[in-house]
Amino acid sequence: MYGHVELNYVRHRAVENYVWSYMLFHEEGSGLTRMIFAKIFVLMILLDDTYDSHATIEECRKLNEAIQRWDESAIPLLPEYLKKFYCKILNIFKEFEDQVAVNEKYRVAYAKKE
């Protein structure tokens, strides 16, 4: 995911993400949970590095507005370097919805809201 969004300023913490997800969800059969947790953790790191060390205030506001809208129509609002990242966020949550059971899809909606 780090290579796909092409944000060269972010910290690469894939191993740390794996270790954290495995420590929290070590039970057999928790593979999907570990994967979802690790991806969300990576997104948080990417957002943190973007907001804290790279984006201007105006770019942060645009990214925040796009995330609040949670729609592909917000892509043109963003600077070029954040468009792939925003699309990846939307795609990851679509993947989550496809991977969880029908009776658990509400959890993805709650995660989006947060």
Side-chain angles (χ1 to χ4, degrees):
M1 188 156 67
Y2 289 111
H4 176 74
V5 294
E6 298 175 4
L7 301 177
N8 58 2
Y9 55 85
V10 298
R11 299 169 284 167
H12 294 273
R13 300 174 84 170
V15 174
E16 181 181 357
N17 289 337
Y18 174 77
V19 170
W20 271 102
S21 67
Y22 200 81
M23 285 175 25
L24 291 172
F25 307 104
H26 54 32
E27 298 88 7
E28 187 176 335
S30 297
L32 178 62
T33 305
R34 283 191 294 272
M35 183 190 66
I36 289 173
F37 178 83
K39 285 183 178 183
I40 289 175
F41 201 78
V42 167
L43 290 175
M44 289 181 355
I45 290 169
L46 292 170
L47 281 169
D48 182 60
D49 289 350
T50 299
Y51 280 110
D52 288 348
S53 63
H54 191 75
T56 65
I57 297 288
E58 187 59 34
E59 291 170 341
C60 290
R61 287 184 180 139
K62 289 178 181 178
L63 181 57
N64 186 50
E65 182 182 342
I67 291 171
Q68 294 297 319
R69 289 170 68 172
W70 205 268
D71 188 62
E72 290 179 1
S73 67
I75 294 171
L77 299 174
L78 299 170
E80 280 302 314
Y81 77 97
L82 290 177
K83 288 181 179 181
K84 279 188 179 180
F85 176 46
Y86 181 70
C87 289
K88 191 65 175 176
I89 292 172
L90 296 177
N91 289 336
I92 284 174
F93 277 86
K94 285 179 188 173
E95 287 176 17
F96 293 164
E97 287 175 339
D98 293 341
Q99 293 170 336
V100 297
V102 173
N103 63 338
E104 294 179 340
K105 290 192 185 287
Y106 70 93
R107 294 177 182 186
V108 178
Y110 286 148
K112 285 179 183 180
K113 185 177 179 184
E114 289 304 313

